[in-house]
Amino acid sequence: MKKTGTLNAQLARVLAELGHGDAIVIADCGLPIPAGVERIDLALTQGIPSFTDTLTVVLSEMQVEHALMAKEIRAANPPLAGQIDALAEGGIPVRLVSHADFKTLTRQARAVIRTGEASPYANVILYSGVVF
């Protein structure tokens, strides 16, 4: 049995398989997941697990080069936008695109991690960096 880190086997596998430039999405429970993109469904009920808890775990294990979020989050969900903006303060550049473009870009993701988050635009695309 694994002692530390991500205990979800599917999530641990996807994180270990990422290469430079690969994308994963951390999503609220309402974001449509494109056909053909792996779904890692962590959602238990509304709010569990939260977007923030899931993001914290993923960031503890993934080298992130940059992130992307829908610009609509600024008006619709300022507290969560602030949490994602904190990534930039931690050295991860965060870019903004329209929600329509965001949904299109999810088609290129290696996986979408579905959380129980039930707040507007609680989604981010993380692009893998390298540790060397």
Side-chain angles (χ1 to χ4, degrees):
M1 178 174 185
K2 191 172 178 189
K3 279 176 48 172
T4 61
T6 302
L7 298 178
N8 180 286
Q10 193 179 5
L11 179 55
R13 176 189 51 78
V14 166
L15 291 174
E17 291 175 351
L18 292 175
H20 186 220
D22 285 343
I24 63 166
V25 180
I26 300 177
D28 59 35
C29 59
L31 186 74
I33 299 173
V37 175
E38 183 173 355
R39 173 192 303 249
I40 301 173
D41 198 339
L42 304 179
L44 297 173
T45 189
Q46 281 194 9
I48 301 173
S50 72
F51 174 87
T52 302
D53 288 343
T54 305
L55 179 62
T56 300
V57 169
V58 169
L59 290 177
S60 74
E61 295 199 25
M62 179 183 174
Q63 181 68 34
V64 177
E65 187 171 84
H66 65 278
L68 190 129
M69 66 181 180
K71 62 184 174 186
E72 290 87 348
I73 194 173
R74 295 254 188 259
N77 198 343
L80 196 59
Q83 291 175 7
I84 296 171
D85 285 339
L87 294 174
E89 294 168 13
I92 300 171
V94 179
R95 293 185 306 126
L96 298 172
V97 296
S98 72
H99 188 58
D101 288 345
F102 184 95
K103 289 191 289 186
T104 298
L105 289 167
T106 64
R107 295 179 194 151
Q108 300 168 8
R110 291 284 309 271
V112 175
I113 304 162
R114 182 175 177 257
T115 70
E117 186 68 43
S119 63
Y121 303 102
N123 308 292
V124 67
I125 301 175
L126 303 174
Y127 292 89
S128 182
V130 292
V131 295
F132 54 87

